[in-house]
Amino acid sequence: MLNVDTIKNGLVIDHIKAGYGTQIFHQLGLDKANFSCALIMNVPSKKSGKKDIIKIDNIISIDYSVLGFIDPNISINVIQNEQIVKKIKMELPERIENVIHCRNPRCITITEKYVPSVFKLANREKGQYKCEYCDALYNSGSID
């Protein structure tokens, strides 16, 4: 039997596409955290069949653009005194910086390391982003 205690003050990242929880867990640095956190994978979901959930027993600063880029269906519940006080729904961000890196070998971000890797949302329906410098396309969903 799986038993994960309730969160007193913290965050619950819910509705993560099954299999993406590990990537988000590491991207947020939770594998090095000195507070309680749990990654629960392949939880049954009426909406999507299966999902991952991350429970964090601490209020931490999160780059929402990264989460929205990885999976725009994510929701975050802010917990205080064991009660949900705020729900945050992710969506594809209009712009992401230094989250993904351009794969075009001729892009300035490859040759000049000081230039930030910037992508802008090009097609919301397809989840496509375009490099601000060379127009290379990249699909949302994973961080390389």
Side-chain angles (χ1 to χ4, degrees):
M1 176 81 176
L2 177 66
N3 185 22
V4 178
D5 286 340
T6 59
I7 301 296
K8 293 175 182 32
N9 294 296
L11 304 170
V12 176
I13 305 172
D14 200 359
H15 304 290
I16 303 168
K17 185 176 180 180
Y20 283 52
T22 305
Q23 183 179 14
I24 292 170
F25 196 82
H26 292 291
Q27 183 68 27
L28 296 176
L30 296 173
D31 52 331
K32 298 172 183 77
N34 61 355
F35 47 83
S36 296
C37 50
L39 167 60
I40 309 161
M41 300 176 69
N42 297 316
V43 176
S45 168
K46 292 178 186 173
K47 200 169 162 182
S48 59
K50 289 185 178 184
K51 66 180 180 179
D52 293 351
I53 300 171
I54 297 174
K55 290 187 166 193
I56 306 166
D57 199 14
N58 194 3
I59 301 290
I60 62 171
S61 178
I62 292 178
D63 183 352
Y64 295 120
S65 64
V66 172
L67 294 181
F69 175 76
I70 294 172
D71 185 354
N73 298 311
I74 289 173
S75 64
I76 298 176
N77 296 323
V78 179
I79 312 294
Q80 290 179 349
N81 298 319
E82 297 183 10
Q83 300 293 317
I84 297 173
V85 296
K86 185 176 181 182
K87 282 188 173 249
I88 303 166
K89 181 79 174 117
M90 294 296 99
E91 58 183 39
L92 288 173
E94 292 296 323
R95 179 180 188 274
I96 54 175
E97 186 173 327
N98 294 325
V99 174
I100 55 175
H101 303 285
C102 191
R103 293 185 190 135
N104 179 354
R106 293 182 291 185
C107 184
I108 191 169
T109 61
I110 300 294
T111 58
E112 304 295 334
K113 299 299 179 193
Y114 66 90
V115 178
S117 186
V118 179
F119 284 78
K120 292 189 177 178
L121 185 61
N123 186 320
R124 186 171 295 282
E125 288 75 36
K126 292 182 180 178
Q128 286 185 327
Y129 284 81
K130 188 186 316 186
C131 176
E132 188 173 79
Y133 307 103
C134 72
D135 294 334
L137 290 175
Y138 192 94
N139 292 323
S140 68
S142 66
I143 310 256
D144 50 42

